[in-house]
């Protein structure tokens, strides 16, 4: 069975735990042997667990139970119900691309009895023949295979849990039997003999590095002692106060010289120059925009930003925030050396941004849309546009104006057509509705005219009906963007008229208030 789990199922890091001496036995059953294994992904987890259950049934006639297993039919049913629920709520953007949407578990527990058949509940009687309860015969061995993804396994840490249960049970059993457990080394050896852990030195080394990186290091004055005495000396009287060093760093960074930026950041790390959030973001933008614009400098820029973020974290600054991730994504996308290496970094940053599960502010969404539009990455452009709706946040007129104006600037009728067919209805369904006025009306009209250049002329100067046959008249009446433009013009005319009447009423009220004291 272990060979099948390792070779055929493809599970890694298999560990074995002998829990047959647990007293009282675990809820999973008596004579328990537990295995732990790691799957490569959520899909691999469910596919391999399902095959394992069928393999036991086919070869050994064992009915195994798989808790947490999602079959292919069940997954399709849940996804269909989720989409139906989102459609009924009137918001299809609730489903996050690439997310699990609460369906995946990351953990499948396969358990079965090695006896090959289920034991029935029987009546139990004591020595005097009186009824004492119900129970099942404790024959055979209960085998439990815990299949987990790597992240889920490290999060739950079931091995440590069951090791603690086993250790306490053995200690209690030794006390009941009157055995002394003063020799802790012998006791730990007895406990470890019932466990078989996978030998993975790299994992233990990585765990040690993680523990070391979690320590909080604060700003020290040692860096200031490295400065020359002339730099630390107070300015002489009458010469004024020196400019803060942080401003000098930003000014040098604006010259967009990568070598000079590297020297300035090194000086910032060693000399204790004050650093704040605005200066940090300015330096990050400058690193990605600095010259020279050679593609092989991408790795150097990423390493420099990594050092800068590490320095900020050591000084107690916040580097894990939506604002910082948006700044990093914007800087990476706008970099003149944007290529495959920076694209991978961009994907990682976007994944971290999605994992934060919080709505972006409107300026942050606008910045991302501007950055994606510059590279004509329309998939990410519209994904950023949809992000507020995933958290039930209304979009403002500025977002719609940017969407329409960007599509109109492409001069691509297909892009404008696809955008208008779903963006315009959503604009009117916002709470409160976003109405086409001012600059939003101008951008929307420009987008409509790109999708159908003849829409305005056909709306205001339609051809005479006598010159058209029946098919031509129907086509003119059903022309898509002529009707959209007419609706937009009617809405704008209604809004302008309402605003004019409101202003007129206010002016009349002011005039009547001014005249009434004189007449009295």
């Amino acid at each position: 069975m272990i060979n099948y789990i390792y070779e055929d199922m493809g599970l890694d890091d298999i560990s074995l735990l002998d829990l047959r001496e647990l007293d009282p036995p675990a809820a999973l059953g008596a004579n328990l042997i537990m295995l732990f294994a790691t799957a490569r992904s959520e899909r691999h987890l469910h596919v391999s667990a399902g095959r394992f259950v069928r393999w036991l049934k086919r070869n050994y006639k064992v009915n195994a139970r798989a808790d947490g297993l999602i079959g292919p039919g069940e997954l399709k049913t849940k996804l269909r119900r989720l989409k139906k629920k989102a459609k009924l709520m009137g918001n299809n953007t609730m489903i996050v691309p690439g997310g699990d949407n609460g369906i995946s578990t990351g953990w499948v527990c396969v358990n079965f009895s090695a006896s090959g058949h289920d034991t029935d509940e029987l009546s139990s009687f004591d020595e005097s023949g009186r009824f004492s309860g119900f129970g099942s015969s404790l024959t055979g061995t209960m085998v439990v295979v815990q299949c987990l993804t790597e992240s889920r396994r490290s999060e739950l840490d079931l091995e440590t849990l069951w090791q603690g249960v086993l250790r306490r049970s053995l200690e209690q059993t030794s006390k009941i039997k009157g055995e002394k457990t003063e020799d802790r080394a012998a006791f730990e050896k007895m406990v470890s003999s019932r466990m078989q852990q996978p030998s993975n030195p790299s994992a233990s080394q990585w765990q040690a590095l993680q523990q070391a990186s979690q320590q909080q290091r604060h700003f020290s004055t040692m860096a200031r002692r490295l400065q020359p005495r002339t730099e630390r000396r107070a300015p002489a009287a009458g010469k004024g106060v020196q400019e803060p060093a942080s401003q000098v760093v930003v000014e040098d960074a604006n010259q967009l010289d990568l070598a000079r930026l590297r020297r300035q950041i090194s000086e910032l790390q060693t000399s204790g120059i004050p650093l704040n959030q605005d200066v940090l973001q300015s330096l990050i933008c400058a690193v990605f925009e600095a010259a020279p614009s050679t593609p092989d400098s991408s790795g150097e820029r990423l390493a420099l930003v990594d050092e800068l973020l590490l320095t900020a974290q050591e000084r107690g600054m916040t580097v894990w925030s939506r604002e910082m991730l948006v700044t990093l994504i914007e800087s990476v996308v706008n970099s003149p050396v944007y290529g495959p290496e920076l694209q991978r970094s961009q994907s990682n940053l976007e994944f971290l941004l999605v994992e934060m599960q919080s709505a972006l502010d409107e300026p942050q969404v606008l910045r991302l849309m501007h950055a994606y539009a510059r590279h004509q990455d329309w998939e990410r452009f519209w994904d950023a546009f949809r992000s507020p709706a995933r958290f039930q946040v209304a979009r403002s007129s500025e977002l719609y104006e940017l969407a329409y104006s960007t599509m109109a600037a492409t001069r691509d009728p297909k892009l404008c057509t696809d955008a208008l067919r779903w963006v315009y209805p959503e604009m009117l369904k916002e709470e409160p509705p976003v109405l086409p006025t001012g600059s939003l009306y101008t951008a929307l009209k420009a987008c409509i005219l790109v999708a159908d250049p003849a829409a305005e002329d056909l709306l205001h100067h339609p051809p005479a009906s006598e010159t058209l046959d029946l098919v031509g008249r129907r086509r003119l009446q059903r022309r898509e963007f002529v009707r959209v433009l007419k609706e937009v013009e009617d809405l704008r005319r209604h809004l302008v008229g309402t605003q004019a009447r409101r202003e007129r009423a206010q002016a009349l009220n002011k005039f009547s208030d001014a005249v009434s004291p004189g007449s009295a």
Side-chain angles (χ1 to χ4, degrees), residues 297-323:
S297 63
S298 301
E300 183 181 0
R301 296 172 193 267
L302 291 173
L304 202 57
V305 170
D306 189 32
E307 294 179 6
L308 192 57
L309 292 175
L310 181 60
T311 302
Q313 187 178 19
E314 290 174 350
R315 297 190 182 186
M317 297 177 60
T318 302
V319 297
W320 177 252
S321 63
R322 297 194 310 270
E323 181 66 25

Side-chain angles (χ1 to χ4, degrees), residues 186-233:
F187 179 76
E188 292 296 333
K189 185 177 181 180
M190 179 180 63
V191 174
S192 61
S193 65
R194 290 161 174 78
M195 297 182 296
Q196 184 177 355
Q197 298 287 347
S199 58
N200 192 354
S202 61
S204 59
Q205 183 180 6
W206 174 249
Q207 185 177 5
L209 288 173
Q210 280 185 325
Q211 293 176 356
S213 64
Q214 289 175 357
Q215 62 180 349
Q216 183 70 26
R217 289 179 285 181
H218 298 280
F219 178 70
S220 174
T221 58
M222 180 61 68
R224 292 188 180 274
R225 299 193 189 107
L226 299 176
Q227 290 181 294
R229 293 183 180 272
T230 56
E231 295 182 7
R232 289 186 291 154
R233 191 176 303 162

Side-chain angles (χ1 to χ4, degrees), residues 127-138:
E127 296 178 355
S128 61
R130 291 183 298 178
F131 174 75
S132 61
F134 296 95
S136 58
S137 58
L138 302 178

Side-chain angles (χ1 to χ4, degrees), residues 398-467:
E398 285 78 7
L399 288 177
Y400 285 98
E401 180 184 350
L402 176 60
Y404 292 136
S405 60
T406 303
M407 291 295 103
T410 61
R411 314 304 299 174
D412 189 338
K414 186 177 184 303
L415 288 177
C416 293
T417 300
D418 294 340
L420 286 169
R421 284 175 177 170
W422 70 272
V423 176
Y424 177 70
E426 286 196 5
M427 183 182 75
L428 300 179
K429 292 179 182 178
E430 293 284 352
E431 293 293 338
V434 179
L435 301 176
T437 58
S439 57
L440 176 59
Y441 164 76
T442 305
L444 176 57
K445 184 177 179 180
C447 188
I448 293 174
L449 294 181
V450 172
D452 188 357
E456 186 175 15
D457 186 56
L458 291 175
L459 177 63
H460 298 294
H461 306 287
S465 58
E466 295 81 7
T467 60

